[in-house]
Amino acid sequence: MMALSNGDLQLTELNGGGSSDGDDREDEWLLNNYDGKKERIGDGMRRIQVGVTGMTCAACSNSVEGALMGLKGVAKASVALLQNKADVVFDPDLVKDEDIKNAIEDAGFEAEILAESSTSGPKPQGTIVGQYTIGGMTCAACVNSVEGILRGLPGVKRAVVALATSLGEVEYDPTVISKDDIANAIEDAGFEASFVQSSGQDKVLLQVTGVLCELDAHFLEGILSNFKGVRQFRFDKISGELEVLFDPEALSSRFLVDGIAGRSNGKFQIRVMNPFARMTSRDSEETSNMFRLFISSLFLSIPVFFIRVICPHIPLVYALLLWRCGPFLMGDWLNWALVSVVQFVIGKRFYTAAGRALRNGSTNMDVLVALGTSAAYFYSVGALLYGVVTGFWSPTYFETSAMLITFVLFGKYLEILAKGKTSDAIKKLVELAPATALLVVKDKVGKCIEEREIDALLIQSGDTLKVLPGTKLPADGIVVWGTSYVNESMVTGEAVPVLKEINSPVIGGTINLHGVLHIQATKVGSDAVLSQIISLVETAQMSKAPIQKFADFVASIFVPIVVTLALFTWLCWYVAGVLGAYPEQWLPENGTHFVFALMFSISVVVIACPCALGLATPTAVMVATGVGANNGVLIKGGDALERAQKIKYVIFDKTGTLTQGRATVTTAKVFTKMDRGEFLTLVASAEASSEHPLAKAVVEYARHFHFFDDPSLNPDGQSHSKESTASGWLLDVSDFSALPGRGIQCFISGKQVLVGNRKLLNESGITIPDHVESFVVELEESARTGILVVYDDNLIGVMGIADPVKREAAVVVEGLLKMGVRPVMVTGDNWRTAHAVAREIGIQDVMADVMPAGKADAVRSFQKDGSIVAMVGDGINDSPALAAADVGMAIGAGTDIAIEAADYVLMRNSLEDVIIAIDLSRKTFARIRLNYIFAMAYNVIAIPIAAGVFFPSLGIKLPPWAAGACMALSSVSVVCSSLLLRRYKKPRLTTILEITVE
């Protein structure tokens, strides 16, 4: 069944009749997470929703609630002012639906019983996160207003709004409120709202071309209705956007797209829409719209300016303007007509925005602009009418109103352009994603039978894709055929091309340079690296640094203070004029003390700008996150930036962070008469079942030993696979168990084998002879790890394993010390090995023999004195410490868990990025402080000038239109100041170390 809305929007709900509040439930959660139980509202009780119109404030909603609760039988009544709805729980034996409706109407409002939703259907569980674009916000006060409205909605758990990106992120319970209700609440507050995307994964947004009439729309409806798994869809005939909600277990987005195109015999052309691209197009539309308004205002203001300034010097033209036409001069008629269009047509946006701000109990820049322009305009109209009645013609200031609106619009246009530059990082990341991909279709035996081009957004995990030289890799995956070099600089920041061969991982959006590759997609959609990077950057730009609270507080009181100052300014100048405190020569021609004081008052109202304060932090954070992403440093939020610039300690995990993470066996010494090859086979057999990096190094060393010792084992010279290796020379193992922090134990030929450290042997009661202990100590003092091997309760040998430190480790450590940051190393290795590694790279503070769970305690030990501590790690065992640290940094892309726990994600496996992260944070907050100083200084200096404080002594007077120009440019200058961060150059280690390289 399909229901048509008032506009061109169609909603189809399948599998179970339409319910009027179907929209009230979040689409993405209709398909899963059901508990299948009816909501309990009490035995014999019933719940209905009533549409209530005519409510304008909280007093109205309280009145409705009181009327409902006054009915006998009503157990509960709650009224949502913004949704214009009342939710009523009542006893149907005592009160009827009609009684409820009559009670609301008797209270003076209109009421309509809304159709009941089916309570027998399943209910969604949990919360989801929705993202919205929000238009019409001009300053921090607007942001506070929208956030306050969203957080007050029932079912909303969290709401964050970003002024710089015009985005809002809302976490809500879809059983209580829908995404459309949230958008409506924003629009009811006077702002523009549009849903972008949510955390649901069972929805696809398509662009459909070929729907030319109502018949085509019904044809499309029929096609979609016949798809098994399509639950709901919405089609906008104006934009051609089709939103489809489907069951991902029954239907894939690619099958859906192919099916629509196929069943329409090619009549409908389908393209998957990228939500990020939609946001970019909206930004472009906003910029174009603002430019049109500015040009229109300028076109109408120039004649007004000419009439006031230029025409009096052209006798013939001036004579025409002085020609009386009815009660007014021709010049007055022209001024009034032109400025009225500017004031009420082009300037309507200021009245609208001011109205919604006042309606929500807040004030913003639009209130100031509306007050200032209205004062100039209505005074001028009043002056004309007063002249008609009395014959005394006071000067008019129509040009003030027109020029003021023009300058403000110009400032907003420049501000939008500048803000657009701050979000370039996301736009560039979106552009990295290829539009199409070559899908390789294979038969059952794996032979390629077809290659066809598909939309990159329709790639599925497991697809085999062909990548030509010079093209972008369409998805994350692994190489299954071919060899080539890939440029990954756009994702990792690493400029050197990376060799890719069979089984090599690849990242979507990177560029294949030379050979043809076949890759198998492994991560698609939101799981892909590029999508995760975009999500991280976007989340960071949505976040608020704690310092932003200062701007929010100032914005909340700024406008009332300015209006008070403006009234005080008018009063002072007017009273001073009446008392004769200044000469009459200061007054304009035919002017009065009232008008003279009014111009100063208008200048005060107009020149004050809360926007600069509101933009000081978010624009800098936006630029910094973009710069970081371009350098392979992903920052999760402004709060992380603020903490990072105060870092006192950086704690490094040793293995894989300070070291290369590629352990190699350097020594294998046998202390019994056992043959060396037999010893290595025994150890490798025991370690083959372990996933530890040291175990893998032991197995690889033993395999190579046997390969060179007996070439017949591998006559073709190729590497052994795991299976061939295991079947070729390893011994059978039973009762294997890994012992974290100690080693492994197992049984071979019925005898126990222990491979590990001293702790393992001590726990097992095995004594370590002095000569073996001396050998192990010697290994440890040379930064190698000694692995002890016990067979049948006899210590038979030791293996020395080294993990070379990264070549930049020592320089980075010295660089951190030069920056005033103290490096610390934490490791599970023994004391001697840990200190040997620390000496090699210059770290003084070492914590050895630390179990994985103890790393978080190590972090907390440095936080006791209030110091800001950063933790740098790369593995799952580092995630508790990353979470415990004030600033967690996951290096080398890390594991998914480590990335989730970290505040910074360092895409490259380079320690230099730790310095970049700290340096960028410091420079960002230096810029934020500069922005605040500028924004505060501007208002502190500009307002007294506008109020005429310096006029008596210096003759400095700022006309209202000039004040408007200053106000418009103030916020632009703050944004441009933040944009200077785009020139950030990552620090050279030679500069940090104060080394001069000839």
Side-chain angles (χ1 to χ4, degrees):
M1 183 175 70
M2 186 171 190
L4 296 179
S5 66
N6 294 332
D8 287 329
L9 199 66
Q10 306 179 66
L11 174 65
T12 293
E13 191 168 331
L14 305 177
N15 300 334
S19 62
S20 65
D21 70 343
D23 291 346
D24 294 3
R25 303 178 187 275
E26 176 51 50
D27 296 347
E28 287 80 0
W29 284 74
L30 281 173
L31 306 179
N32 50 28
N33 298 323
Y34 297 147
D35 66 2
K37 297 179 181 179
K38 294 184 180 181
E39 181 184 3
R40 294 190 60 82
I41 56 175
D43 294 336
M45 305 299 283
R46 182 162 166 253
R47 164 174 280 154
I48 65 170
Q49 285 193 335
V50 186
V52 184
T53 56
M55 297 188 296
T56 58
C57 62
C60 298
S61 60
N62 291 338
S63 177
V64 174
E65 281 189 13
L68 291 172
M69 291 303 295
L71 290 175
K72 184 179 180 180
V74 172
K76 179 184 176 183
S78 60
V79 178
L81 174 63
L82 296 176
Q83 287 80 23
N84 293 315
K85 288 182 182 178
D87 187 81
V88 188
V89 178
F90 63 98
D91 185 346
D93 294 332
L94 300 176
V95 65
K96 306 299 181 186
D97 295 8
E98 196 66 25
D99 297 332
I100 294 173
K101 178 182 177 182
N102 292 337
I104 296 174
E105 291 176 345
D106 290 343
F109 304 92
E110 297 180 10
E112 178 186 2
I113 304 297
L114 301 177
E116 285 187 78
S117 61
S118 173
T119 58
S120 61
K123 306 278 184 186
Q125 296 285 316
T127 62
I128 59 177
V129 178
Q131 194 177 71
Y132 298 80
T133 57
I134 303 173
M137 297 188 298
T138 57
C139 62
C142 298
V143 172
N144 294 339
S145 177
V146 175
E147 285 185 343
I149 289 165
L150 291 174
R151 290 169 182 167
L153 294 175
V156 171
K157 309 297 182 185
R158 178 179 61 87
V160 180
V161 177
L163 173 64
T165 57
S166 297
L167 284 175
E169 191 173 271
V170 185
E171 181 183 355
Y172 60 98
D173 184 347
T175 63
V176 179
I177 190 170
S178 76
K179 66 178 189 295
D180 294 330
D181 287 337
I182 294 172
N184 291 337
I186 298 171
E187 290 174 349
D188 288 344
F191 299 91
E192 299 172 3
S194 176
F195 177 77
V196 178
Q197 60 182 347
S198 75
S199 54
Q201 300 295 317
D202 47 12
K203 184 184 72 173
V204 64
L205 189 65
L206 308 172
Q207 181 71 44
V208 183
T209 56
V211 180
L212 306 177
C213 60
E214 193 69 29
L215 188 61
D216 291 340
H218 285 291
F219 181 35
L220 177 63
E221 173 202 350
I223 292 174
L224 290 167
S225 299
N226 289 326
F227 271 106
K228 182 180 179 181
V230 171
R231 296 294 181 86
Q232 197 177 70
F233 61 87
R234 183 181 284 115
F235 178 62
D236 188 341
K237 289 185 289 186
I238 297 176
S239 64
E241 292 183 3
L242 173 65
E243 182 181 299
V244 183
L245 178 70
F246 62 94
D247 184 349
E249 295 183 359
L251 186 68
S252 70
S253 56
R254 188 163 76 206
F255 183 82
L256 177 66
V257 169
D258 292 343
I260 294 174
R263 297 182 188 186
S264 67
N265 295 320
K267 177 177 178 58
F268 301 137
Q269 300 298 317
I270 313 295
R271 180 175 61 86
V272 183
M273 298 185 67
N274 189 322
F276 296 107
R278 293 176 71 206
M279 290 163 55
T280 302
S281 65
R282 287 194 184 100
D283 292 341
S284 301
E285 182 180 342
E286 182 184 10
T287 304
S288 300
N289 183 50
M290 189 58 66
F291 182 72
R292 284 195 300 270
L293 288 174
F294 162 64
I295 291 298
S296 300
S297 181
L298 181 64
F299 179 77
L300 294 172
S301 298
I302 288 176
V304 177
F305 181 77
F306 267 74
I307 290 172
R308 180 62 181 262
V309 179
I310 306 297
C311 291
H313 302 287
I314 305 175
L316 180 61
V317 177
Y318 193 52
L320 290 174
L321 294 176
L322 293 177
W323 177 53
R324 185 166 295 279
C325 182
F328 307 124
L329 300 179
M330 180 59 71
D332 293 331
W333 281 114
L334 288 174
N335 278 332
W336 194 354
L338 291 171
V339 175
S340 293
V341 176
V342 175
Q343 183 76 26
F344 300 111
V345 179
I346 298 174
K348 177 184 176 182
R349 67 185 309 276
F350 297 113
Y351 285 104
T352 302
R356 69 184 171 223
L358 295 173
R359 189 166 64 246
N360 293 311
S362 63
T363 51
N364 57 19
M365 184 206 73
D366 296 299
V367 173
L368 297 179
V369 174
L371 281 174
T373 58
S374 297
Y377 176 85
F378 287 111
Y379 164 76
S380 300
V381 172
L384 288 179
L385 298 177
Y386 183 76
V388 171
V389 175
T390 65
F392 178 78
W393 298 92
S394 299
T396 59
Y397 294 92
F398 283 117
E399 77 284 350
T400 295
S401 173
M403 295 304 294
L404 177 55
I405 288 177
T406 301
F407 276 117
V408 172
L409 289 173
F410 180 60
K412 293 301 294 180
Y413 171 66
L414 292 180
E415 182 183 317
I416 290 172
L417 280 180
K419 284 163 61 179
K421 293 292 184 183
T422 64
S423 59
D424 277 352
I426 289 182
K427 294 176 184 176
K428 289 179 180 178
L429 289 169
V430 171
E431 290 169 358
L432 289 179
T436 60
L438 278 175
L439 176 66
V440 178
V441 182
K442 298 182 179 181
D443 59 17
K444 294 181 179 179
V445 296
K447 182 179 179 181
C448 177
I449 58 174
E450 180 189 1
E451 290 179 10
R452 65 186 181 96
E453 189 175 78
I454 64 169
D455 194 306
L457 294 173
L458 297 177
I459 296 173
Q460 300 171 3
S461 181
D463 283 348
T464 300
L465 307 167
K466 183 177 181 179
V467 188
L468 300 175
T471 61
K472 296 177 181 177
L473 277 82
D476 294 0
I478 57 171
V479 176
V480 295
W481 181 87
T483 303
S484 181
Y485 281 88
V486 173
N487 180 3
E488 296 182 342
S489 62
M490 60 288 299
V491 175
T492 65
E494 184 62 62
V496 180
V498 182
L499 175 64
K500 299 296 180 181
E501 47 194 3
I502 293 178
N503 292 329
S504 296
V506 292
I507 302 173
T510 56
I511 299 176
N512 179 28
L513 297 179
H514 302 301
V516 176
L517 293 176
H518 284 192
I519 68 169
Q520 186 178 54
T522 56
K523 292 183 178 180
V524 297
S526 60
D527 294 329
V529 169
L530 187 58
S531 294
Q532 290 179 348
I533 292 175
I534 292 174
S535 179
L536 282 174
V537 173
E538 195 174 53
T539 301
Q541 294 182 349
M542 286 287 299
S543 68
K544 288 187 179 182
I547 196 173
Q548 179 69 23
K549 294 177 181 178
F550 168 73
D552 293 341
F553 169 73
V554 172
S556 66
I557 62 174
F558 188 87
V559 175
I561 291 176
V562 169
V563 172
T564 303
L565 285 174
L567 293 173
F568 181 73
T569 298
W570 176 85
L571 184 63
C572 288
W573 279 105
Y574 181 71
V575 172
V578 171
L579 297 177
Y582 56 80
E584 296 291 327
Q585 291 85 351
W586 287 6
L587 299 179
E589 185 179 355
N590 294 332
T592 63
H593 296 296
F594 177 87
V595 175
F596 187 65
L598 181 63
M599 290 302 104
F600 284 114
S601 180
I602 292 174
S603 293
V604 170
V605 168
V606 170
I607 203 168
C609 183
C611 297
L613 282 169
L615 292 169
T617 297
T619 53
V621 170
M622 283 187 68
V623 177
T625 52
V627 168
N630 291 336
N631 285 281
V633 177
L634 302 182
I635 307 165
K636 286 194 176 180
D639 52 346
L641 271 170
E642 185 164 350
R643 292 193 301 271
Q645 46 116 16
K646 302 175 184 176
I647 289 174
K648 184 176 180 180
Y649 296 97
V650 174
I651 299 178
F652 292 95
D653 176 49
K654 180 181 79 71
T655 304
T657 302
L658 289 172
T659 65
Q660 296 178 10
R662 294 192 296 269
T664 56
V665 176
T666 60
T667 305
K669 188 172 182 62
V670 184
F671 292 102
T672 65
K673 295 181 179 181
M674 181 181 288
D675 178 72
R676 180 182 178 87
E678 185 181 353
F679 169 74
L680 292 177
T681 300
L682 181 74
V683 179
S685 300
E687 292 278 28
S689 299
S690 173
E691 294 296 325
H692 196 281
L694 299 186
K696 295 180 183 299
V698 169
V699 174
E700 186 66 15
Y701 180 82
R703 190 190 67 77
H704 277 288
F705 174 86
H706 283 290
F707 167 72
F708 289 115
D709 195 44
D710 185 3
S712 64
L713 287 175
N714 194 8
D716 59 357
Q718 299 297 317
S719 297
H720 289 270
S721 66
K722 184 175 180 179
E723 291 77 15
S724 64
T725 300
S727 60
W729 57 281
L730 292 179
L731 305 174
D732 292 333
V733 174
S734 62
D735 297 332
F736 174 88
S737 61
L739 307 172
R742 290 167 290 172
I744 64 100
Q745 68 177 12
C746 64
F747 286 86
I748 296 178
S749 301
K751 297 178 181 179
Q752 187 184 50
V753 178
L754 302 175
V755 183
N757 55 22
R758 294 184 184 84
K759 187 180 296 185
L760 176 62
L761 269 64
N762 291 335
E763 290 178 356
S764 303
I766 307 296
T767 303
I768 303 175
D770 291 342
H771 67 284
V772 176
E773 177 66 24
S774 298
F775 181 76
V776 173
V777 169
E778 182 181 340
L779 290 175
E780 293 170 345
E781 290 178 342
S782 60
R784 288 178 289 178
T785 300
I787 302 297
L788 303 164
V789 182
V790 174
Y791 180 61
D792 195 21
D793 294 335
N794 295 314
L795 199 161
I796 61 173
V798 174
M799 301 190 73
I801 299 179
D803 185 3
V805 299
K806 293 177 179 177
R807 60 182 182 178
E808 75 274 12
V811 182
V812 168
V813 166
E814 188 174 352
L816 288 172
L817 290 170
K818 293 282 186 179
M819 296 171 71
V821 178
R822 193 169 165 184
V824 180
M825 187 181 81
V826 60
T827 178
D829 271 344
N830 61 81
W831 185 90
R832 290 189 187 88
T833 302
H835 276 266
V837 173
R839 282 196 303 271
E840 185 177 348
I841 59 180
I843 291 181
Q844 301 296 320
D845 297 294
V846 181
M847 302 183 74
D849 291 315
V850 178
M851 298 290 286
K855 291 181 182 179
D857 295 329
V859 169
R860 296 186 188 99
S861 67
F862 285 94
Q863 293 173 322
K864 289 180 179 178
D865 62 351
S867 298
I868 301 297
V869 178
M871 172 71 194
V872 184
D874 70 328
I876 293 175
N877 61 344
D878 299 324
S879 56
L882 290 171
D886 299 289
V887 180
M889 297 183 184
I891 192 169
T895 63
D896 290 342
I897 295 176
I899 289 174
E900 187 67 27
D903 300 296
Y904 283 71
V905 179
L906 311 181
M907 295 299 294
R908 301 185 303 165
N909 195 19
S910 172
L911 293 171
E912 295 177 25
D913 290 346
V914 175
I915 287 182
I916 293 175
I918 298 174
D919 183 66
L920 178 59
S921 300
R922 291 180 176 181
K923 284 185 168 59
T924 299
F925 267 80
R927 181 63 55 180
I928 289 174
R929 292 186 189 97
L930 185 64
N931 287 348
Y932 275 123
I933 291 172
F934 178 81
M936 293 296 292
Y938 162 80
N939 284 292
V940 169
I941 296 172
I943 291 177
I945 292 175
V949 172
F950 303 105
F951 182 66
S953 58
L954 302 176
I956 298 176
K957 180 181 178 182
L958 202 62
W961 64 266
C966 293
M967 184 272 287
L969 294 175
S970 64
S971 57
V972 174
S973 59
V974 167
V975 177
C976 290
S977 171
S978 295
L979 285 173
L980 290 176
L981 282 170
R982 297 177 72 191
R983 302 171 61 185
Y984 172 83
K985 301 294 183 183
K986 59 184 180 182
R988 295 182 179 274
L989 293 178
T990 52
T991 303
I992 296 174
L993 299 177
E994 301 174 354
I995 298 174
T996 302
V997 180
E998 299 294 330

